[in-house]
Amino acid sequence: MAARRSLTALTGVVMLGLVVTACEDHALGTIELRTERESVEVLSDPSVKGCHRFREGVVHVNNQTLNDIILYTTPDCTEPKGAESVYLPTETSDEAVRSTGLWRSFTVVH
């Protein structure tokens, strides 16, 4: 009986490890976007790797993932001279202001 419990516990630990490892490549949750034309888009479980380009300029972002994100006004996740990115923690939202321009891309903080 003790061997069976040990095997069950070991199996549970291995499964948990596989789930955690699989989730490392994605920010679990959603990012809700509102574009300049008032259309709403939802991105689910975005990859934590690389730059993510928005289809069009975004005026509002609601970060409902388990990771923080960084918003950029450029399509390639770079900061042009004199401009700044916006750090958006998990479970928060932000609106673009006219002086900085629309958001064009984002990266996930990992």
Side-chain angles (χ1 to χ4, degrees):
M1 191 71 123
R4 185 176 283 174
R5 281 190 215 148
S6 295
L7 182 59
T8 302
L10 180 60
T11 302
V13 169
V14 169
M15 293 300 290
L16 180 61
L18 290 173
V19 168
V20 170
T21 302
C23 295
E24 287 181 4
D25 290 344
H26 297 280
L28 297 179
T30 59
I31 298 174
E32 299 170 10
L33 322 167
R34 191 174 67 240
T35 67
E36 195 171 33
R37 295 182 298 148
E38 295 297 319
S39 64
V40 175
E41 184 177 341
V42 177
L43 305 174
S44 296
D45 304 328
S47 172
V48 297
K49 298 176 183 173
C51 178
H52 302 277
R53 190 176 190 173
F54 296 129
R55 290 184 228 202
E56 58 184 291
V58 171
V59 296
H60 181 87
V61 176
N62 186 11
N63 179 14
Q64 296 299 313
T65 68
L66 298 178
N67 294 71
D68 299 345
I69 61 175
I70 301 174
L71 301 166
Y72 301 90
T73 57
T74 60
D76 60 354
C77 298
T78 59
E79 292 181 359
K81 191 170 185 164
E84 294 182 12
S85 57
V86 172
Y87 190 92
L88 191 61
T90 185
E91 303 292 325
T92 61
S93 62
D94 200 22
E95 301 223 11
V97 293
R98 287 192 195 280
S99 62
T100 60
L102 302 175
W103 291 308
R104 305 281 179 195
S105 61
F106 74 97
T107 56
V108 176
V109 177
H110 182 61

